[in-house]
Amino acid sequence: MNMNMTKQQIINQLIPHLQPAKLQAKGEADVNIALSKYWGKRQTELNLPTNSSLSIGLPGLGTKTQLTLIEAEHNQAWLNNQLLAPDNPFSQRLDNYLAPFQPSGLKFKLQTQNTVPTAAGLASSASGYAALALALNDLFDWQLDPASLSILARMGSGSASRSIYQGFALWHKGEREDGMDSVAQGLSHTWPGFSIGLVKIDVNQKPIGSTAGMQQTVKHCELYQAWPAQAERQVKLIQQAIEQRDFTRLGETAEHNALSMHATMMATWPPILYWQAESVSAMQKIWQLRQQGIEVYFTMDAGPNLKLLFLAENKKAIETAFENITIIQPFG
Ligand code: 2P0
């Protein structure tokens, strides 16, 4: 049985039918920031991770997608009102994702609008594939539950499994080969005053994308062997911290988790280093602020930008320390 066959079989299990209910549909999803990261796949075709992860959604920052069935030769992918060439890697990844759903004789026109300001330096594959899974669910009127939508989104991009939810989301790594238990759940806890600060260092193209970066780490980093168990433990610690509203535990664990993930990247050969000199300066500034009694932590993804974690009582101090910071309070 080849991998494509497996993917098709999983889709057959998930969705009730392949008859479109209408010609046009919509989906919308927010980006999410992992407080305990997804880094490494145990299976690439289905995006099955080596470890669980836990994230917070950023309301209002994400993707709006419109899906239309058209008579044409190729699928059409429009990104922020620009038609992409069929051989563009973004279009090809979409074609590959949409192939199992293609109604005979029709093509998909996908119009995707990112509501993340490009200047914020946030990745959009998470919100993009979550929005697309929601649009497909609408187009075919499958009426899938959130867990099935999370699996569908995860097959587009791992982190998209978490963007099906708002607020905190926990993506269970799962054990099964078919990935039916590798699914995110929304956590019901809220946390008024919980704040995320986006510190932009550089928003240009990164040296290596996260899909390739994590594969390289899994294959060529000895330190990576320690990662899955640590990440699993840290997901649990962060979940407890959310339940108990223990900000110190949450911040310390999230920062330690991010630095550990980046340590595995640096210990890969050839090395992967997403940081720039300004990233390190910002980290040092955060450590100084903590010494001065201002409780702020950071996390970082596959790029040079920092995401600060703090509580509303420190908002003014953070705004003073970081010019041009974008602050989001997911729960108001
Ligand atoms: C995360 N990242 O948990 C981690 C932290 C980047 C660093 O999820 O290959 O774009 O599409 O499954 O989801 C980025 O990985 O990778 C990511 P694919 P994805 O947010």
Side-chain angles (χ1 to χ4, degrees):
M1 194 195 300
N2 69 32
M3 284 303 176
N4 283 330
M5 188 65 191
T6 311
K7 194 169 182 175
Q8 184 67 59
Q9 283 174 340
I10 287 158
I11 287 165
N12 293 346
Q13 278 184 53
L14 276 177
I15 63 171
H17 62 81
L18 270 175
Q19 279 83 47
K22 46 180 139 174
L23 289 178
Q24 192 165 75
K26 284 183 180 166
E28 195 173 334
D30 295 331
V31 297
N32 70 76
I33 303 291
L35 301 171
S36 189
K37 309 292 187 187
Y38 152 48
W39 196 251
K41 305 182 199 209
R42 64 174 196 276
Q43 207 265 39
T44 53
E45 183 76 13
L46 303 172
N47 293 328
L48 300 181
T50 54
N51 62 274
S52 305
S53 55
L54 197 158
S55 65
I56 175 79
L58 302 188
L61 295 183
T63 305
K64 289 182 181 173
T65 287
Q66 182 167 289
L67 202 53
T68 312
L69 288 170
I70 55 169
E71 287 182 26
E73 214 164 301
H74 304 286
N75 289 334
Q76 284 180 16
W78 295 73
L79 178 60
N80 297 334
N81 302 319
Q82 274 201 312
L83 177 62
L84 303 179
D87 61 354
N88 177 297
F90 185 95
S91 313
Q92 293 195 330
R93 185 170 168 180
L94 280 169
D95 277 347
N96 186 36
Y97 181 73
L98 289 169
F101 311 106
Q102 202 92 46
S104 66
L106 293 172
K107 298 290 173 195
F108 289 110
K109 177 181 180 185
L110 183 107
Q111 289 160 288
T112 191
Q113 207 78 35
N114 284 330
T115 53
V116 181
T118 22
L122 290 172
S124 56
S125 76
S127 56
Y129 279 92
L132 182 51
L134 290 163
L136 283 167
N137 184 50
D138 183 22
L139 189 78
F140 290 94
D141 194 25
W142 293 322
Q143 302 186 17
L144 297 181
D145 59 13
S148 303
L149 288 166
S150 173
I151 293 174
L152 206 56
R154 185 250 295 147
M155 291 193 284
S157 185
S159 51
S161 64
R162 303 185 306 237
S163 272
I164 291 296
Y165 306 94
Q166 292 178 321
F168 295 110
L170 167 54
W171 175 16
H172 300 275
K173 74 179 178 75
E175 304 288 343
R176 292 173 55 132
E177 248 178 79
D178 65 4
M180 294 305 268
D181 56 351
S182 183
V183 55
Q185 74 175 106
L187 304 180
S188 58
H189 301 82
T190 59
W191 197 331
F194 187 88
S195 306
I196 316 274
L198 306 175
V199 176
K200 181 188 73 170
I201 304 292
D202 187 351
V203 293
N204 293 321
Q205 191 84 20
K206 357 185 213 199
I208 179 170
S210 47
T211 305
M214 65 176 90
Q215 279 312 93
Q216 196 165 309
T217 310
V218 171
K219 278 198 199 128
H220 302 293
C221 171
E222 285 181 49
L223 294 190
Y224 183 78
Q225 290 177 18
W227 167 258
Q230 178 182 344
E232 225 53 54
R233 207 167 53 241
Q234 289 179 324
V235 162
K236 288 203 180 77
L237 284 173
I238 290 177
Q239 192 179 1
Q240 278 169 9
I242 291 166
E243 285 163 8
Q244 296 163 4
R245 289 200 183 166
D246 182 343
F247 184 69
T248 304
R249 173 175 281 195
L250 182 143
E252 287 182 354
T253 310
E255 187 174 303
H256 185 199
N257 177 271
L259 287 169
S260 302
M261 175 185 71
H262 282 272
T264 69
M265 298 174 186
M266 288 176 220
T268 297
W269 197 261
I272 302 169
L273 181 66
Y274 288 110
W275 301 355
Q276 294 184 7
E278 294 82 359
S279 312
V280 178
S281 303
M283 291 177 204
Q284 288 168 331
K285 196 193 267 192
I286 288 159
W287 292 326
Q288 274 165 13
L289 286 167
R290 284 222 292 277
Q291 278 188 337
Q292 293 161 15
I294 295 160
E295 204 174 9
V296 51
Y297 302 90
F298 66 86
T299 184
M300 290 178 75
D301 295 297
N305 306 306
L306 278 76
K307 288 95 183 191
L308 274 43
L309 308 170
F310 54 94
L311 294 174
E313 66 214 39
N314 285 319
K315 185 165 180 258
K316 283 227 164 67
I318 300 296
E319 279 171 335
T320 307
F322 293 91
E323 280 175 28
N324 300 325
I325 190 170
T326 305
I327 295 177
I328 292 136
Q329 294 184 331
F331 306 102

